[in-house]
Amino acid sequence: MKVLLNDEIIERNEAKVDIEDRGYQFGDGVYEVVNIYDGVPFTLKEHIERLYRSAKEIGILLNEQPEHLCNRLLELIDVNNMTKGGLYLQISRGVSNRSHHYDQSLTPQLVAYPLPYKSVEDAQTKGVEAITAEDMRWLRCDIKSLNLLYNIMVKQKASEVGAFETILIRDSFVTEGSSSNIFIVKDGILQTHPANNLILNGITRTKLLEIMDVNGWEYKIQPFHKEALMEADEVFLTSTTSEVMPIIKIDGVTFSQAKPGPYTSKFQAAFREAVKTETKTTTEKA
């Protein structure tokens, strides 16, 4: 494996991070995960735009242009001969003596490396289970920061009971999953939480809503209560690695006869087609 460390592509065993890197000590940084299909990083531009937005929101100023980073990531994919899988990339504020406050002149540190391919097709076909938990995270969930401790805690609780995801509830409203966005379908209408500070505006979430617009499919962007979640006809989640994933059971309650519902299946197919179209177009341009 070769990795990108700052602006240099090197062997995995040569990549070192200083023990006083603020990402390591404070979680002081931001990250992204990009899926790769047929050697093409899907929605790479959108992921990098969100990375730069997150960095700006926490005061990390990046001098490198987004286009340059995109080109380096394409090189990283090429040297690793990747056809499918993912890329993980993170930017920390930099290295300094341990202190909560920081010097504005710190040099951000970037790391990017390949993630192995994990098929989700079987889970997408069968559907997955979820549990619910109180959303006790901070109020800037729109920033894709390295601070994921509570997400990890509730994700682990799901894993321990054989569930795939934990759906978070704040003040009786459904916000999102521990690592996903949550959608419900009721009477044929899709509904999901607004992209405000209480959720991360997922790239897959955004892409699916674009697909909805193109096809003229009705949806609502508005908060909904846990009661609406539990009374929904269909429930599914979206994320980079899970794409469109049906949820067939929540807290022991079964949905859509314990199988992916017709609307969810339609959205799955439309998303897959969008991936094929965009990756094919990118390949042809190259």
Side-chain angles (χ1 to χ4, degrees), residues 104-135:
Q104 296 280 4
S105 66
L106 292 181
T107 301
Q109 303 293 297
L110 180 143
V111 176
Y113 59 86
L115 297 174
Y117 171 71
K118 293 182 180 180
S119 176
V120 293
E121 291 183 8
D122 185 58
Q124 288 176 335
T125 300
K126 297 178 180 179
V128 298
E129 297 185 22
I131 60 174
T132 60
E134 184 180 358
D135 191 347

Side-chain angles (χ1 to χ4, degrees), residues 150-161:
Y150 189 71
N151 303 64
I152 291 168
M153 291 167 64
V154 294
K155 191 78 164 187
Q156 180 65 18
K157 287 183 178 180
S159 177
E160 289 172 355
V161 296

Side-chain angles (χ1 to χ4, degrees), residues 124 185 187-190 208 211-212 215-219 234 236 244 246 260-274:
Q124 288 176 335
V185 178
D187 298 328
I189 300 176
L190 182 72
L208 179 60
I211 293 170
M212 300 285 291
N215 287 279
W217 295 335
E218 189 173 357
Y219 64 89
E234 300 177 34
F236 65 89
V244 178
Y263 286 96
T264 303
S265 297
K266 178 174 70 172
F267 302 148
Q268 275 183 329
F271 182 80
R272 289 172 185 155
E273 188 60 33

Side-chain angles (χ1 to χ4, degrees), residues 32-209:
E32 284 290 336
V33 177
V34 183
N35 248 15
I36 297 170
Y37 300 88
D38 296 325
V40 177
F42 182 62
T43 57
L44 176 61
K45 179 183 176 183
E46 290 88 340
H47 279 281
I48 298 305
E49 287 177 349
R50 187 173 65 179
L51 179 74
Y52 273 65
R53 177 193 178 275
S54 293
K56 182 179 179 181
E57 288 296 309
I58 66 171
I60 294 179
L61 302 179
L62 303 175
N63 294 321
E64 183 179 85
Q65 293 299 309
E67 294 78 10
H68 178 74
L69 177 55
C70 286
N71 289 334
R72 294 299 277 161
L73 293 174
L74 292 174
E75 292 176 32
L76 185 63
I77 293 170
D78 186 55
V79 298
N80 281 289
N81 297 313
M82 297 184 68
T83 57
K84 56 185 178 180
L87 278 182
Y88 175 81
L89 58 150
Q90 75 170 47
I91 296 174
S92 74
R93 193 177 302 279
V95 178
S96 68
N97 294 333
R98 192 183 190 282
S99 174
H100 281 67
H101 68 271
Y102 56 87
D103 191 316
Q104 296 280 4
S105 66
L106 292 181
T107 301
Q109 303 293 297
L110 180 143
V111 176
Y113 59 86
L115 297 174
Y117 171 71
K118 293 182 180 180
S119 176
V120 293
E121 291 183 8
D122 185 58
Q124 288 176 335
T125 300
K126 297 178 180 179
V128 298
E129 297 185 22
I131 60 174
T132 60
E134 184 180 358
D135 191 347
M136 300 179 68
R137 301 170 300 165
W138 74 323
L139 295 176
R140 289 305 308 274
C141 300
D142 56 304
I143 299 172
K144 197 170 177 68
S145 82
L146 301 179
N147 293 274
L148 295 173
L149 184 57
Y150 189 71
N151 303 64
I152 291 168
M153 291 167 64
V154 294
K155 191 78 164 187
Q156 180 65 18
K157 287 183 178 180
S159 177
E160 289 172 355
V161 296
F164 183 84
E165 178 62 298
T166 296
I167 299 172
L168 299 171
I169 315 294
R170 190 189 296 268
D171 298 327
S172 81
F173 287 97
V174 174
T175 50
E176 58 185 341
S178 68
S179 61
S180 64
N181 292 122
I182 302 298
F183 294 77
I184 62 172
V185 178
K186 185 67 176 179
D187 298 328
I189 300 176
L190 182 72
Q191 191 167 333
T192 193
H193 195 283
N196 56 20
N197 63 296
L198 298 181
I199 74 163
L200 179 71
N201 188 14
I203 302 302
T204 304
R205 172 191 183 277
T206 301
K207 179 58 64 175
L208 179 60
L209 294 179

